[in-house]
Amino acid sequence: MSSPKTDHSAKKELTAEDFTNHPEVIKCLEALDTAFKKSNRPFIISDVYDDEGNQYVNLVQKGGGVLGMALVGYTYILEQMGVRFVRLAGTSAGAINTALMTVIGDKQEMKSKRILTSLCDLNFFDLVDGNPAAKWIIKKFITQEDFTKKMENWFKGLLITGILLIAGDILFFGLQQKFLLLSIFTKLFFVLTGFYFLLLAFLIFYISRTLEKLKNSGFGINPGNYFYDWIKKELISNGVLKVSDLKKKAAALPKLYLRPENPETIDTLCGDVTFIASELVTQNKIQFPAMCNLFREEKDIDTLQPAGFIRASMAIPVFFESYFINNIPNESPEIKKAWLDTLDEHNPPSEVRFVDGGILSNFPIDIFYNPKIVVPRLPSLGIDLDDSKPEDKSTNPIHWSFLGYLGRMFNTIRYFYDKDFLLKNKFFEKGIGKIPLSDYNWLNFFIKDQDKIDMFVLGAKAATQFLIGFDWKQYKNDRVQMQAKLTKEHIPEIIKDDLKPIKSE
């Protein structure tokens, strides 16, 4: 009796170990081991530590669609080196990893492996939950190949086909007067031309109807319901059902110690989490959950759903529908005061509409800055995702592609807040690690498993390079020098107010 055949064609399920056991990731850990333990160089990244020897930092994570897999690779290396997080902030994809790092386990626990397990169980293309036509378009054009070039070629093909058909009509119509047999080709070309333009008219009609539907559905191809349900399930499975649960998780710190003496004591350190979203009705940058009081009275804060904060932060315009908060009690004195004090808005709306926080602030490292702190106790680190193409990084604008030009224009707008802050506070760049991802498309939700692993590896490599090159003593000294300079220059009150410090460094 023959034994049953094994189905080798079945797709292997992706696991967290496929990421963490990758040879390049293991090399990263070995390189860190060599750089610190074997060379007797102490690994010091912060003056704040716990009973287990973990060191604590603040961390902001940049938005970037599916490129968020690289963020997990970066944080995995940080955690393996005993780095933990007091305050977390993120936008879009950065908000997703930030949320999971906040709610999973306790502050002193490593989270990245459990995050990987959740992401391995998630089919990214399920997030594309629009109608079949929308799915086909996204699957057809947004692939590993640069989808913008594919669209450009597609439109060129349509134009050239139309021109060739019309040219054929004219040519055969003229020649059939001399060659009667060509009348067959004349009729054929006229039929093909008619059929082609009929299809083109149908396409234009379909696009116009789709745009009308987009208007009625938050101008988004995909409702975003699948993502909302997924992140809500993740939050609930980790004990976060309400806004108060989220705040409690984010604030819970273990017993912490301060290595050297510092004018600031360890007791003033507070944990929190921030998700950035762009509010379109009043055109403001919103920080969740800190600004929940704009939308509900204190007694009703828990009627808001924490999953909605992450959904609002990642609502990529056109790709996903906007996220709405309705039934705001805008006549309430408490709500009116909150809007006036926070955003200087005298007439609060009864309904607000959110899109991707990256429209206004894709890298919100400024929320960690507190000018009242002279000597920092811990650094504010950031993970930057760099997906710009080499040809579009050129400082010579003549060499830019058309899409590179559009990208530069869009990035000038969305990076204004973040870049303006970094220009005024250059030392913060010492805490930022950059992951090169120019070979990947941030909207490719049909990404292959191998590409997910490769992005994770790139994140791990970037974190390794950052940690080996980071000098906490120099960082701390530069922060002190910066603050001394600002104090000496007497910052105008209007600028001080604009900085809006939240909590201590």
Side-chain angles (χ1 to χ4, degrees):
M1 182 175 178
S2 60
S3 59
K5 293 182 179 179
T6 303
D7 182 10
H8 295 288
S9 63
K11 182 181 177 183
K12 177 183 177 295
E13 292 295 328
L14 200 61
T15 67
E17 287 68 29
D18 291 323
F19 295 85
T20 59
N21 291 341
H22 191 282
E24 293 297 322
V25 175
I26 293 173
K27 281 184 181 179
C28 287
L29 295 173
E30 290 173 348
L32 288 164
D33 188 62
T34 300
F36 296 103
K37 291 182 181 178
K38 292 182 179 178
S39 64
N40 294 319
R41 172 188 168 190
F43 176 66
I44 300 176
I45 196 171
S46 170
D47 286 339
V48 180
Y49 63 98
D50 63 19
D51 285 318
E52 298 174 11
N54 297 314
Q55 302 181 73
Y56 286 75
V57 304
N58 297 327
L59 181 69
V60 61
Q61 300 182 67
K62 189 176 184 180
V66 299
L67 304 183
M69 287 301 306
L71 296 173
V72 189
Y74 199 105
T75 56
Y76 172 75
I77 293 295
L78 293 182
E79 289 185 332
Q80 289 295 310
M81 291 298 291
V83 179
R84 301 294 184 266
F85 313 97
V86 174
R87 303 182 62 197
L88 288 161
T91 300
S92 196
I96 298 171
N97 199 36
T98 291
L100 296 176
M101 290 176 68
T102 300
V103 303
I104 292 175
D106 298 323
K107 289 278 187 182
Q108 61 268 39
E109 294 181 39
M110 291 192 284
K111 323 288 186 79
S112 296
K113 271 196 173 183
R114 291 169 65 179
I115 292 173
L116 281 172
T117 299
S118 295
L119 294 177
C120 286
D121 294 339
L122 174 66
N123 180 358
F124 283 21
F125 197 59
D126 286 339
L127 301 177
V128 183
D129 56 355
N131 60 51
K135 289 191 174 214
W136 180 86
I137 291 171
I138 292 168
K139 188 174 180 180
K140 183 72 176 175
F141 290 102
I142 304 180
T143 58
Q144 182 61 35
E145 179 185 346
D146 188 346
F147 79 99
T148 50
K149 289 182 180 178
K150 184 177 280 191
M151 288 191 70
E152 185 179 332
N153 292 335
W154 196 69
F155 282 114
K156 281 181 181 178
L158 282 176
L159 181 62
I160 292 171
T161 301
I163 292 172
L164 289 176
L165 285 171
I166 293 173
D169 290 336
I170 296 171
L171 178 65
F172 287 113
F173 183 76
L175 290 176
Q176 74 174 357
Q177 306 300 324
K178 293 186 177 181
F179 308 99
L180 294 177
L181 289 175
L182 290 179
S183 61
I184 298 174
F185 291 98
T186 303
K187 292 175 182 177
L188 178 61
F189 261 77
F190 270 105
V191 170
L192 288 174
T193 303
F195 183 69
Y196 174 79
F197 281 100
L198 186 64
L199 283 176
L200 203 59
F202 175 78
L203 180 63
I204 293 171
F205 172 76
Y206 182 79
I207 291 173
S208 65
R209 287 295 301 273
T210 300
L211 290 174
E212 186 63 29
K213 288 181 180 179
L214 289 178
K215 179 182 177 182
N216 298 327
S217 60
F219 289 108
I221 297 173
N222 301 291
N225 295 332
Y226 189 93
F227 172 80
Y228 177 87
D229 292 338
W230 176 78
I231 195 66
K232 182 179 179 181
K233 181 181 176 183
E234 291 294 321
L235 296 183
I236 291 175
S237 67
N238 286 285
V240 175
L241 289 76
K242 304 174 293 186
V243 174
S244 56
D245 296 331
L246 177 65
K247 289 183 175 181
K248 186 178 178 181
K249 270 271 190 179
L253 294 173
K255 183 173 180 56
L256 297 176
Y257 306 91
L258 196 57
R259 189 172 284 109
E261 291 185 4
N262 192 301
E264 294 289 330
T265 66
I266 201 70
D267 299 329
T268 58
L269 275 180
C270 299
D272 67 11
V273 64
T274 302
F275 311 113
I276 304 296
S278 302
E279 201 288 295
L280 298 184
V281 175
T282 60
Q283 302 172 51
N284 282 298
K285 180 177 76 171
I286 302 299
Q287 299 178 18
F288 286 116
M291 295 185 181
C292 285
N293 63 333
L294 298 175
F295 314 110
R296 292 291 184 270
E297 294 178 334
E298 185 61 36
K299 62 183 177 64
D300 296 323
I301 287 293
D302 279 338
T303 61
L304 294 174
Q305 173 50 242
F309 306 157
I310 302 101
R311 169 67 178 83
S313 183
M314 56 75 68
I316 303 167
V318 182
F319 197 90
F320 287 112
E321 292 181 11
S322 304
Y323 182 77
F324 292 83
I325 292 181
N326 305 309
N327 304 316
I328 301 171
N330 59 338
E331 295 300 323
S332 161
E334 183 182 333
I335 295 295
K336 284 188 173 183
K337 185 177 186 305
W339 279 88
L340 185 61
D341 292 348
T342 307
L343 299 173
D344 197 29
E345 293 282 350
H346 294 265
N347 298 301
S350 60
E351 180 180 54
V352 287
R353 178 178 189 166
F354 298 97
V355 293
D356 195 320
I359 297 297
L360 291 177
S361 180
N362 208 33
F363 193 60
I365 199 167
D366 61 301
I367 68 172
F368 293 147
Y369 174 57
N370 187 341
K372 295 178 181 178
I373 298 297
V374 178
V375 181
R377 294 160 291 182
L378 72 172
S380 293
L381 306 184
I383 311 175
D384 188 6
L385 303 175
D386 183 11
D387 63 338
S388 54
K389 305 295 181 187
E391 62 270 22
D392 295 327
K393 288 182 181 179
S394 170
T395 54
N396 186 345
I398 297 175
H399 294 157
W400 296 348
S401 65
F402 175 67
L403 293 164
Y405 158 74
L406 292 179
R408 286 280 185 125
M409 185 166 58
F410 180 61
N411 288 342
T412 299
I413 299 169
R414 68 175 179 150
Y415 293 150
F416 173 77
Y417 271 112
D418 307 326
K419 190 173 182 179
D420 184 58
F421 173 79
L422 288 172
L423 283 173
K424 294 175 181 175
N425 306 277
K426 281 185 173 294
F427 108 93
F428 268 97
E429 293 180 355
K430 293 181 180 294
I432 298 173
K434 185 173 291 190
I435 309 175
L437 295 161
S438 61
D439 292 335
Y440 301 92
N441 171 16
W442 66 289
L443 278 178
N444 182 15
F445 284 84
F446 200 61
I447 189 171
K448 298 174 183 176
D449 286 347
Q450 186 57 52
D451 292 326
K452 295 177 186 177
I453 294 172
D454 291 344
M455 284 195 290
F456 180 90
V457 170
L458 287 172
K461 287 181 175 180
T464 302
Q465 182 180 1
F466 170 78
L467 291 177
I468 291 174
F470 183 74
D471 186 332
W472 165 237
K473 185 177 179 180
Q474 186 64 51
Y475 177 99
K476 187 163 53 171
N477 182 66
D478 288 348
R479 171 66 170 78
V480 171
Q481 294 298 322
M482 183 198 80
Q483 197 59 41
K485 182 180 178 183
L486 291 175
T487 304
K488 187 177 179 180
E489 291 179 354
H490 301 292
I491 312 172
E493 288 298 321
I494 188 171
I495 297 179
K496 287 183 180 178
D497 292 341
D498 187 52
L499 290 173
K500 294 180 180 177
I502 299 177
K503 291 185 176 68
S504 303
E505 289 177 84

